């Protein structure tokens, strides 16, 4: 979020998206020129770092596109498709790359992934140009600052900002399934299939369903409903027999509900940021979503190492359900606001 304001300050969202995807493609292609030898690990680390920064950077203009171009009645579906691409790209794309590397070569895998990434830029032909803020640099920067301050000037924005740091609908244990699958006596090949491609497919479907839930009912229904359901699934897995079948069913259902949670997460953010300087505000609030993942993973690891997996599952579940109940109560006191926040930054600046 530190460098993302330049997306709203300069060029257009269209050009920034093209730049981000191009950096992804160029950095991946450059790996072809680096021999895969331990002596070149520093070069590979730099290249991989650039590719990951570029990949993360591409989300900034996407957040701006969703906030500015999509109707309020369809922003849930847009959020669902965005997260479907995010989770599907990591799960299915990563699995596809590994499979091609194993059966053909890593060069073939790189060329295919680069080709798929480059194809994403074709979507720009269907989008209008979204220009940066007009005026000199000082004025544009002042508008950004005022807009960020606006996130802390109304109840729903403050509420959303705090909500992003809670353990609701985070699903941190999903990052640990492969390392704890032996507790259910699951074979490595089965673990790879269930936690890899199949979970990715179910997460993508969950994202799409979650988007429709947000539009049909409300983003709050999707977010808090998925958070509480994830907790219940974790508790069921903790107290049922630890065997192969229960693991496979539990992980796949968890992946589907987590997809709903991810879609609702983006929908809640878009609901709070309005349309002005949307890329900056979207990235800022999205980055806060990494905070609970970090502390939940640390907590899960500590409990798993010092107690057992059952305690770990129950602890994460109770945290998620508990915070969901608390913040649902706060939302009820606020009257369940549904309208998108509109922060008139330009008027503030002129005044």
């Amino acid at each position: 979020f530190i460098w993302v304001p330049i997306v709203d300050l300069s060029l257009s969202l269209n050009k920034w998206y093209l730049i981000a995807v191009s950096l992804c493609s160029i950095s991946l292609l450059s790996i072809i020129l680096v021999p895969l030898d331990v002596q070149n690990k520093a070069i590979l680390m730099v290249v991989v770092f650039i590719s990951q920064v570029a990949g993360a950077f591409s989300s900034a203009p996407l957040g701006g596109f969703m906030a500015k171009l999509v109707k309020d009645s369809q922003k849930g579906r847009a959020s669902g498709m965005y997260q479907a691409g995010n989770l599907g790209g990591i799960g299915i794309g990563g699995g596809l790359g590994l499979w091609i590397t194993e059966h053909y070569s890593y060069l073939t895998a790189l060329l295919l992934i680069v080709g798929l990434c480059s194809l994403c830029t074709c979507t720009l032909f269907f989008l209008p140009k979204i220009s940066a803020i007009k005026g000199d640099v000082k004025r544009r920067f002042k508008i950004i600052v005022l807009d960020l301050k606006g996130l802390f000037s109304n109840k729903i924005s403050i509420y959303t900002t705090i909500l992003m740091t809670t353990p609701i609908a985070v699903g941190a244990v999903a990052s640990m399934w492969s390392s704890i699958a032996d507790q259910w006596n699951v074979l490595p090949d089965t673990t790879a299939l269930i936690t890899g491609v199949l979970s990715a497919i179910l997460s993508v479907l969950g994202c799409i369903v979650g988007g429709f839930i947000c539009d049909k009912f409300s983003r709050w229904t999707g977010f808090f409903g998925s958070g509480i359901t994830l907790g219940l699934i974790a508790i069921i897995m903790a107290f049922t027999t630890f065997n192969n079948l229960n693991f496979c069913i539990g992980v796949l259902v968890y992946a589907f509900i987590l997809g709903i949670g991810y879609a609702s997460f983006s929908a809640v953010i878009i609901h709070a940021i309005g349309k002005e300087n949307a890329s900056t505000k979207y990235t800022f609030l999205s980055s806060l979503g990494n905070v609970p993942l970090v502390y939940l993973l640390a907590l899960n690891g500590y409990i798993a190492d010092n107690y057992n997996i059952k305690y770990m599952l129950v602890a994460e579940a109770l945290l998620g359900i508990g915070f969901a109940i608390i913040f649902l109560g706060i939302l009820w006191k606020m009257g369940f606001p549904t309208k998108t926040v509109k922060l008139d930054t330009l008027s503030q600046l002129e005044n």
Side-chain angles (χ1 to χ4, degrees):
F1 67 86
I2 294 174
W3 58 74
V4 160
I6 66 172
V7 174
D8 287 319
L9 289 171
S10 61
L11 303 179
S12 64
L13 296 185
N14 312 60
K15 289 181 179 179
W16 278 117
Y17 180 71
L18 183 62
I19 290 170
V21 175
S22 298
L23 280 175
C24 285
S25 300
I26 293 171
S27 58
L28 287 173
L29 279 176
S30 66
I31 295 178
I32 297 175
L33 305 175
V34 183
L36 295 184
D37 188 277
V38 69
Q39 294 179 344
N40 298 315
K41 64 180 181 181
I43 299 175
L44 285 170
M45 287 173 65
V46 171
V47 171
V48 170
F49 177 77
I50 292 173
S51 72
Q52 295 305 293
V53 169
F57 198 77
S58 68
S59 67
L62 289 177
F65 283 131
M66 289 190 289
K68 292 175 180 289
L69 299 179
V70 181
K71 297 178 181 177
D72 287 345
S73 61
Q74 297 177 337
K75 283 182 177 178
R77 275 169 282 181
S79 300
M81 295 305 295
Y82 166 74
Q83 290 292 358
N86 188 24
L87 296 177
I90 295 171
I92 300 173
L96 177 66
L98 288 173
W99 187 87
I100 293 174
T101 299
E102 289 291 329
H103 292 80
Y104 296 95
S105 69
Y106 80 93
L107 295 177
T108 305
L110 281 172
L111 291 173
L112 178 63
I113 298 299
V114 167
L116 290 174
C117 286
S118 300
L119 279 176
C120 293
T121 60
C122 294
T123 57
L124 294 175
F125 290 108
F126 303 95
L127 297 174
K129 182 179 179 181
I130 306 295
S131 301
I133 304 169
K134 303 298 182 182
D136 58 64
V137 175
K138 183 178 179 180
R139 179 179 181 275
R140 286 181 285 172
F141 187 76
K142 190 172 183 179
I143 291 174
I144 291 280
V145 173
L146 283 174
D147 230 358
L148 286 174
K149 285 183 178 179
L151 284 175
F152 304 97
S153 63
N154 64 84
K155 290 181 179 179
I156 188 60
S157 294
I158 295 172
Y159 175 85
T160 304
T161 302
I162 298 173
L163 186 65
M164 294 300 99
T165 64
T166 66
I168 305 171
V170 175
V173 71
S175 303
M176 303 178 68
W177 290 134
S178 58
S179 62
I180 61 177
D182 59 329
Q183 300 288 319
W184 283 265
N185 299 313
V186 182
L187 296 175
D189 286 346
T190 304
T191 300
L193 177 64
I194 295 298
T195 63
V197 175
L198 291 183
S199 282
I201 293 173
L202 265 295
S203 293
V204 168
L205 292 176
C207 288
I208 296 171
V209 171
F212 278 97
I213 290 175
C214 291
D215 286 340
K216 182 69 175 178
F217 301 99
S218 76
R219 51 195 59 82
W220 306 119
T221 301
F223 186 73
F224 289 112
S226 60
I228 292 172
T229 305
L230 285 174
L232 294 176
I233 295 170
I235 290 173
I236 291 171
M237 291 185 69
F239 290 102
T240 52
T241 306
F242 276 39
N243 58 37
N244 201 307
L245 179 61
N246 287 341
F247 177 82
C248 294
I249 294 175
V251 169
L252 292 178
V253 174
Y254 197 92
F256 178 78
I257 301 300
L258 187 59
I260 296 177
Y262 272 66
S264 305
F265 172 86
S266 289
V268 167
I269 291 176
I270 292 176
H271 170 64
I273 63 176
K275 293 185 177 182
E276 293 182 21
N277 304 312
S279 296
T280 299
K281 291 183 289 184
Y282 182 86
T283 306
F284 171 70
L285 290 180
S286 295
S287 68
L288 293 180
N290 292 316
V291 174
L293 181 62
V294 172
Y295 67 69
L296 277 178
L297 283 173
L299 178 64
N300 285 350
Y302 175 82
I303 296 174
D305 288 342
N306 292 277
Y307 299 94
N308 58 48
I309 301 300
K310 287 186 177 181
Y311 284 114
M312 182 196 77
L313 290 170
V314 172
E316 180 174 323
L318 292 180
L319 277 173
I321 294 173
F323 272 89
I325 293 173
I326 292 170
F327 275 79
L328 266 172
I330 297 172
L331 193 64
W332 178 73
K333 287 287 187 181
M334 293 169 60
F336 288 91
T338 57
K339 292 184 178 179
T340 302
V341 175
K342 295 181 179 180
L343 305 174
D344 195 356
T345 308
L346 292 175
S347 295
Q348 291 180 41
L349 185 62
E350 290 168 359
N351 291 336

